Amino acid sequence: MPTRVSRTAWNGTLQEGSGQVELSSSGAGTFEVSFPKRAADDADGTTSPEELIAAAHSSCYAMQLSALIGEAGGVPQSLEVTAAVSLGPDTPGFKLTGIALTVRGEVDGLDAAGFATVAQAARESCPVSKALTGVAITLDAALL
């Protein structure tokens, strides 16, 4: 399996500095980061480690759920997954305080109970979920 690479260039102090995070392997883009905007309610056009983790988690979870639906005899027509990653204080510094996964699916061949079962199994077996075992991960899963 391949290794993926991202690079960040940072200049200045935590409060006054800023940086750019580059998605190096894919070349998909370079995005601005700064701590004041990371800690603010309005990101104002910058990303953050939490948003990048949310992107990784939602996409990984969607892939894992799709695979498990197929293994259970269903056919996923559409899955919409949201991952909300929260940051809070810690001593010292900060920590991820929780991740809320929400999935809404249109699936042929599974009833609501079957979907809930595979959705939970995907939460537990998704590689990003496994990497984030130190963070509480909740799941809200339902068929459309």
Side-chain angles (χ1 to χ4, degrees):
M1 298 302 272
T3 299
R4 302 293 184 220
V5 177
S6 183
R7 180 188 68 82
T8 299
W10 185 267
N11 296 300
T13 66
L14 177 64
Q15 291 297 329
E16 296 172 6
S18 65
Q20 300 78 38
V21 61
E22 172 189 275
L23 305 182
S24 305
S25 297
S26 66
T30 300
F31 305 93
E32 297 295 316
V33 292
S34 87
F35 183 77
K37 291 180 182 177
R38 177 184 185 185
D41 287 333
D42 182 5
D44 193 30
T46 65
T47 192
S48 67
E50 294 74 35
E51 184 177 40
L52 296 170
I53 289 169
H57 204 176
S58 66
S59 60
C60 183
Y61 178 83
M63 289 180 213
Q64 185 70 3
L65 179 56
S66 178
L68 295 183
I69 288 169
E71 288 176 14
V75 178
Q77 297 302 318
S78 68
L79 299 172
E80 184 170 322
V81 180
T82 302
V85 177
S86 300
L87 180 70
D90 195 20
T91 304
F94 299 89
K95 68 179 180 178
L96 300 183
T97 58
I99 300 172
L101 287 174
T102 302
V103 59
R104 296 296 179 260
E106 192 174 330
V107 177
D108 295 335
L110 291 180
D111 62 11
F115 182 71
T117 298
V118 295
Q120 182 61 33
R123 188 195 72 76
E124 294 167 2
S125 60
C126 158
V128 173
S129 291
K130 289 178 183 180
L132 297 169
T133 57
V135 181
I137 301 171
T138 61
L139 175 62
D140 174 6
L143 292 172
L144 293 174

